[in-house]
């Protein structure tokens, strides 16, 4: 069975600081990887996804993530955060080729102070 | 509607009562998913519908939980004999088709509190 581990449960940053949120998954086969974001009072929405090809994936709002197969990792990065990035971030995995049965990590709550 | 709609947004009930949670997916989305999010956890898969049929109900925790989607659109999650441990946010999501693009469109959830 697949599982996802997010190492940081709470992260506090000042505006303009760089961000890296860790995500590791456990599964022996081919997977698809995702980052979802939940802004305060809003629903979960897709931030970016990796299916194949270039392991460096760019998403909305300046976020990017790098798939490192040898490390089973899919870390999320942003060079300079803004107050509006305050949200909860979830890493998720699904078996490649399957339907959208996503396995989510526990989430990382990011607070950005002005 | 423009997005996935879930009702009620909040439900408080007593232990042992029956509860129904409703999900209205995005029009035209054939795939529908229910997830449950407990405090401090990520969403946990419960059940997946493709059209009217439950294609995968492996995430339902026990036989007190049941879900239907009789006309392939609106779905209802039913919980019998509720327990305090059922307290969570129940999320519904839909996608355009069964094919796994990974993009699920989530509703805002129904927060269930069992006293």
């Amino acid at each position: 069975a697949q599982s996802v581990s997010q190492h940081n449960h709470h992260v506090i940053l000042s505006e303009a600081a760089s961000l890296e949120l860790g995500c590791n998954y456990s599964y022996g086969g081919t997977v698809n990887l995702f980052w979802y974001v939940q802004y305060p009072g809003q629903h979960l929405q897709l931030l970016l996804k990796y299916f194949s090809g270039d392991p460096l994936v760019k998403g909305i709002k300046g976020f990017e993530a790098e798939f490192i197969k040898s490390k089973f990792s899919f870390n999320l990065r942003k060079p300079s955060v803004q107050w509006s990035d305050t949200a909860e971030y979830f890493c998720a995995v699904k078996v490649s080729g399957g339907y959208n049965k996503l396995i989510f990590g526990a989430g990382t709550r990011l607070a950005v102070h002005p | 509607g423009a997005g996935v709609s879930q009702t009620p947004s909040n439900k408080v009930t007593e232990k042992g009562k029956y509860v129904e949670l409703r999900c209205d997916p995005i029009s035209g989305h054939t795939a529908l998913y229910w997830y449950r999010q407990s405090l401090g956890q990520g969403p946990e898969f419960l059940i997946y519908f493709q059209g009217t049929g439950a294609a995968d109900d492996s995430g339902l925790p026990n036989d007190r939980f049941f879900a239907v989607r009789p006309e392939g659109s609106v779905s209802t999650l039913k919980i019998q004999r509720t327990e305090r441990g059922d307290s969570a946010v129940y999320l519904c999501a839909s996608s355009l088709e069964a094919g796994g693009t990974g993009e699920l469109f989530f509703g805002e959830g129904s927060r269930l509190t069992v006293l």
Side-chain angles (χ1 to χ4, degrees), chain B residues 48-60:
Chain B
Y48 156 59
F49 286 91
Q50 178 53 39
T52 60
D56 182 350
D57 64 357
S58 62
L60 294 178

Side-chain angles (χ1 to χ4, degrees), chain B residues 12-100:
Chain B
V12 180
T13 191
E14 293 179 341
K15 181 174 177 297
K17 298 291 188 183
Y18 170 80
V19 165
E20 286 190 355
L21 307 175
R22 176 190 165 104
C23 172
D24 198 345
I26 293 172
S27 178
H29 281 196
T30 60
L32 185 145
Y33 301 77
W34 283 99
Y35 283 78
R36 176 170 72 173
Q37 188 173 12
S38 301
L39 195 62
Q41 300 297 317
E44 175 190 7
F45 171 82
L46 295 178
I47 187 169
Y48 156 59
F49 286 91
Q50 178 53 39
T52 60
D56 182 350
D57 64 357
S58 62
L60 294 178
N62 51 59
D63 62 6
R64 295 186 298 105
F65 288 75
F66 189 71
V68 295
R69 193 185 185 200
E71 297 178 357
S73 177
V74 170
S75 175
T76 304
L77 179 65
K78 307 180 181 195
I79 311 173
Q80 298 178 319
R81 304 183 304 280
T82 51
E83 300 178 357
R84 292 194 181 88
D86 299 335
S87 295
V89 177
Y90 289 82
L91 297 170
C92 178
S94 68
S95 64
L96 188 57
E97 56 187 27

Side-chain angles (χ1 to χ4, degrees), chain A residues 55-72:
Chain A
L56 185 61
V57 178
K58 294 190 184 299
I60 59 173
K61 304 187 179 185
F63 285 92
E64 65 179 31
E66 185 175 12
F67 171 51
I68 303 179
K69 189 175 181 180
S70 61
K71 294 185 178 180
F72 297 89

Side-chain angles (χ1 to χ4, degrees), chain A residues 9 32 34 36 38 41-46 49 51 88 90 94 97-107 109, chain B residues 33 35 37 40-45 48 55-56 58-59 91 95 97-108:
Chain A
H9 296 293
N32 305 135
F34 311 87
Y36 274 77
Q38 187 167 24
Q42 297 187 26
H43 56 270
L44 271 167
Q45 57 188 287
L46 182 67
K49 62 184 177 183
F51 269 59
E88 190 158 17
F90 294 92
K94 80 166 189 71
Y99 49 89
N100 289 328
K101 182 178 180 178
L102 300 184
I103 308 301
F104 285 87
R109 196 174 291 273
Chain B
Y33 301 77
Y35 283 78
Q37 188 173 12
Q41 300 297 317
E44 175 190 7
F45 171 82
Y48 156 59
D56 182 350
S58 62
L91 297 170
S95 64
E97 56 187 27
T101 63
E103 182 157 16
L104 292 178
F105 294 85
F106 282 87
E108 295 192 3

